C-alpha cells in the first residue's frame, strides 16, 4: 500500500473539501444567477440573456455535486447514513428545488405565453435560492451539533425535527451562503453579459459584497462568543477500525477557534473570505469583471475553508453525546476502499477539470439582447 490508513483518511477530508469548493464555485454561480434573475433581467429577452450564460454549462457544473455526494457515501459511509436519514426532509427540499432548474431551462421557451415563461422563471429563482439557503443552514447546524446518537450496534437515531434546524444561527449561515452565491452569480452575469443586464449585475455585486462581509463577520463573532465547539480528549489507534464510540469528546466554549491558535496558517481561510468579498465589490465598481469573478470565487473558497478548518477533525458533531460525533478518523471507509477511490480520483479528477475548462473556452463569449434576437431558435 502506497499510503497508510491515517494518510488516506486525511487525504479524503481534503478531497471532499476540494469537491465541495468545486461545486460551490461552478454550480454556485448558476444558483446565484438564477436567484438574481428577476433583479438583473426585466424583460423576456434580458432573462434569456442571463439564462443563456448558464445553459451550456449548468449540467456539467452539477457533476461536482454528484461527485461530492458519491465521494461522501464511499469515503464516510457513517456520515452519509446519519445525515441522509436524520436530515431527510431538508435533503428532499434541496432535491426538489434542484429539479426546478433543468425543467425551467428546458420548458420556459416551449411557449411564447408570458405567463408560462414567468412561471418557469420563478421556478428557476426557487431552484437557485432554496438550495443555496439550505446548504448554509446545514453548515450552521453542523457547527452547533446535530441531535443524533448511536446504539451499541452503531445504528444512528436522530432526535430533532425539520423546524429545529431553522434556529437563528443556522438561518444567519443560510443568509451567508445565499449572499455568497448570489455575489458569485452577479460577478458571473456581469462578466458574460452586456448593457443594462451587466450594469444591474455590477450594482448588485457591490451591495452583496458588503452584505457578505458584514454577515460573515457577525457569524464569526457569534461563533466565538456564544456557541460551544467540540474537542477530542482521547482517540484509539488511528490505524484501527473506524468506530465513533471508542473516542472521548467534549463541548467547550471557543473550541471552534482552537485550530486557528494551534495552526496560525489556517487563518488564511477567513482572510481569503473577507479579502475576496471586498475585492469582488471593488473590481465590480471599476469594471474589471474577470477579476471580480475570480475574487468572488476566492471568497467562496475562503468561507468553505473557514468552516472546514474550524471543525477539523469533526465532520458531523453530535449535540446529544459529544463522544458519538463523527470525525474523519472514525467515520471513514476501509483502507482498501479509500485506496481504490484515491486512484480513481487521481485518474478522473484531472479529466473532469480538463473537459470543464475546454467547454468554457469553446463557448466563451459575451451575450446581449441583440445576440438573442439574432439567434431566436438556437438558444433557450
Amino acid at each position: 500500500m502506497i499510503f497508510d490508513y491515517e494518510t488516506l483518511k486525511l487525504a479524503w477530508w481534503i478531497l471532499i473539501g476540494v469537491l465541495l469548493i468545486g461545486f460551490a464555485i461552478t454550480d454556485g454561480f448558476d444558483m446565484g444567477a438564477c436567484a438574481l434573475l428577476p433583479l438583473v433581467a426585466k424583460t423576456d429577452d434580458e432573462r434569456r440573456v442571463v439564462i443563456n450564460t448558464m445553459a451550456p454549462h449548468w449540467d456539467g457544473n452539477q457533476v461536482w455535486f454528484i461527485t461530492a455526494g458519491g465521494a461522501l457515501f464511499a469515503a464516510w459511509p457513517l456520515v452519509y447514513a446519519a445525515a441522509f436519514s436524520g436530515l431527510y426532509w431538508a435533503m428532499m427540499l434541496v432535491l426538489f428545488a434542484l429539479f426546478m432548474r433543468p425543467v425551467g431551462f428546458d420548458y420556459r421557451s416551449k411557449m411564447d405565453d408570458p405567463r408560462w415563461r414567468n412561471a418557469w422563471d420563478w421556478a428557476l429563482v426557487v431552484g437557485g435560492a432554496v438550495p443555496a439557503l439550505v446548504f448554509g443552514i446545514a453548515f450552521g447546524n453542523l457547527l452547533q451539533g446535530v441531535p443524533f446518537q448511536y446504539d451499541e450496534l452503531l445504528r444512528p437515531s436522530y432526535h430533532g425535527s425539520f423546524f429545529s434546524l431553522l434556529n437563528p444561527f443556522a438561518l444567519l449561515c443560510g443568509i451567508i451562503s445565499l449572499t455568497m452565491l448570489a455575489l458569485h452569480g452577479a460577478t458571473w452575469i456581469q462578466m458574460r453579459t452586456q448593457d443594462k443586464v451587466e450594469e444591474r449585475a455590477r450594482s448588485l455585486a457591490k451591495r452583496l459584497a458588503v452584505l457578505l462581509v458584514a454577515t460573515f463577520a457577525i457569524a464569526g463573532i457569534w461563533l466565538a462568543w456564544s456557541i460551544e465547539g467540540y474537542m477530542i480528549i482521547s482517540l484509539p489507534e488511528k490505524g484501527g477500525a473506524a468506530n465513533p464510540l471508542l473516542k472521548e469528546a467534549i463541548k467547550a466554549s471557543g473550541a471552534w477557534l482552537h485550530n486557528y491558535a494551534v495552526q496560525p496558517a489556517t487563518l488564511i481561510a477567513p482572510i481569503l473570505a473577507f479579502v475576496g468579498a471586498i475585492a469582488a465589490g471593488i473590481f465590480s465598481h471599476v469594471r474589471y469583471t474577470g477579476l471580480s469573478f475570480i475574487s468572488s470565487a476566492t471568497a467562496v473558497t475562503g468561507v468553505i475553508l473557514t468552516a472546514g478548518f474550524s471543525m477539523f477533525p469533526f465532520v458531523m458533531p453530535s449535540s446529544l453525546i459529544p463522544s458519538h460525533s463523527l470525525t474523519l478518523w472514525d467515520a471513514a471507509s476501509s483502507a482498501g476502499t479509500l485506496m481504490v477511490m484515491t486512484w480513481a480520483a487521481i485518474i478522473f479528477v484531472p479529466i473532469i477539470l480538463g473537459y470543464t475548462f475546454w467547454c468554457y473556452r469553446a463557448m466563451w463569449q459575451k451575450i446581449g439582447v441583440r445576440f438573442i434576437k439574432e439567434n431566436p431558435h438556437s438558444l433557450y
Side-chain angles (χ1 to χ4, degrees), residues 78 150 154 242-248 323-327 330-331:
L78 294 181
Y150 286 99
L154 279 182
N243 186 337
L245 305 185
L246 299 181
K247 69 175 177 302
E248 183 180 354
S323 293
H324 287 198
S325 300
L326 297 174
T327 72
D330 54 33

Side-chain angles (χ1 to χ4, degrees), residues 85 142 335 339:
S85 58
L142 286 176
M339 179 58 72

Side-chain angles (χ1 to χ4, degrees), residues 250-287:
I250 60 170
K251 296 179 70 174
S253 178
W256 286 147
L257 303 181
H258 178 69
N259 288 334
Y260 297 107
V262 175
Q263 297 290 341
T266 55
L267 287 169
I268 189 64
I271 291 173
L272 284 176
F274 284 118
V275 171
I278 294 169
I282 293 173
F283 286 131
S284 294
H285 180 71
V286 297
R287 301 175 185 271

Side-chain angles (χ1 to χ4, degrees), residues 222-234:
W222 194 341
L223 191 69
W225 290 98
S226 300
I227 295 178
E228 290 185 317
Y230 290 73
M231 297 184 66
I232 294 176
I233 302 302
S234 64

Side-chain angles (χ1 to χ4, degrees), residues 61-123:
N61 292 341
Q62 284 203 339
V63 168
W64 291 95
F65 183 55
I66 297 168
T67 305
L72 182 66
F73 170 74
W76 296 334
L78 294 181
V79 175
Y80 187 92
F84 278 70
S85 58
L87 307 178
Y88 179 79
W89 290 110
M91 299 290 184
M92 291 299 293
L93 178 61
V94 170
L95 183 62
F96 279 99
L98 289 174
F99 288 164
M100 297 292 186
R101 273 192 299 162
V103 294
F105 286 139
D106 287 338
Y107 280 92
R108 78 171 304 275
S109 295
K110 299 296 184 184
M111 295 173 60
D112 291 331
D113 187 344
R115 293 172 299 179
W116 171 269
R117 293 193 171 188
N118 286 337
W120 286 114
D121 288 341
W122 281 107

Side-chain angles (χ1 to χ4, degrees), residues 190 193-202 289 366:
Q190 64 174 313
T193 62
Q194 299 171 337
D195 306 322
K196 292 181 179 179
V197 176
E198 180 184 358
E199 290 302 316
R200 294 188 193 110
R202 286 182 56 247
T289 57
K366 272 184 170 286

Side-chain angles (χ1 to χ4, degrees), residues 297-313:
T298 301
V300 169
T301 302
V303 170
I304 295 175
L305 286 178
T306 298
F309 289 162
S310 297
M311 292 177 60
F312 182 89

